[in-house]
Amino acid sequence: MQIIPYLFFNGNCAEALIFYEQVLGATIEDKMLGADMPPDPEFGVPEDKKNWIMHAKLKIGDDTIMASDNLMETSAQMDGASVMLNFSTANEAKAIYDKLADGADITMPWAATFWSAGFGTLRDKFGVRWMIGCDELPAEA
């Protein structure tokens, strides 16, 4: 079994994918537009959303995140869940935290904690909540 987060956006999925590709060193492996869907009289894609992302697969190392624009309605910002990124070192984690922080709402500034040499949380400019941490232990007091 795999657990794969699926993120929904409201017309800016393509922009988010490019941002995550740059920030996370990810690869967009698959991308289908609303216009790629076969015609369906009951489930037709609105004309103004034909260029929205119907489905995309973002490969980050050995892991995957899937994403799309919500073609049929508006998605609320992601509440009650976060995507956790965990790194070996605090330096690696902090570099990604800083990049994701561009235009983000910081919910927990990056800092050493009692369990880790660095941890922080934020809601990025696309509304996705991220938790970024590392396996590196905090310095002894």
Side-chain angles (χ1 to χ4, degrees):
M1 178 186 350
Q2 291 179 297
I3 297 174
I4 301 172
Y6 204 111
L7 307 177
F8 286 93
F9 298 88
N10 293 310
N12 57 355
C13 182
E15 181 185 352
L17 291 172
I18 291 167
F19 179 70
Y20 300 145
E21 189 176 40
Q22 294 168 352
V23 168
L24 302 173
T27 303
I28 300 169
E29 288 196 337
D30 191 17
K31 183 170 66 173
M32 293 179 273
L33 300 177
D36 296 331
M37 291 179 71
D40 183 331
E42 288 186 53
F43 185 72
V45 175
E47 200 58 41
D48 63 335
K49 296 181 179 178
K50 296 273 187 184
N51 288 325
W52 283 22
I53 304 292
M54 178 186 75
H55 172 76
K57 181 178 181 181
L58 189 66
K59 196 74 169 163
I60 306 168
D62 293 332
D63 296 310
T64 299
I65 290 179
M66 293 187 187
S68 74
D69 288 308
N70 196 341
L71 297 174
M72 303 317 283
E73 57 187 71
T74 300
S75 292
Q77 285 191 337
M78 200 170 88
D79 286 321
S82 295
V83 178
M84 173 70 185
L85 299 177
N86 196 64
F87 296 86
S88 297
T89 69
N91 286 341
E92 291 172 290
K94 175 78 163 77
I96 297 300
Y97 179 90
D98 288 344
K99 291 176 183 176
L100 285 172
D102 180 31
D105 292 325
I106 305 303
T107 50
M108 181 177 176
W110 180 264
T113 65
F114 67 89
W115 72 85
S116 175
F119 181 82
T121 64
L122 55 86
R123 183 186 301 269
D124 74 16
K125 61 186 174 184
F126 302 102
V128 176
R129 291 172 34 162
W130 297 90
M131 301 170 70
I132 296 103
C134 66
D135 292 331
E136 186 178 333
L137 297 175
E140 293 184 0

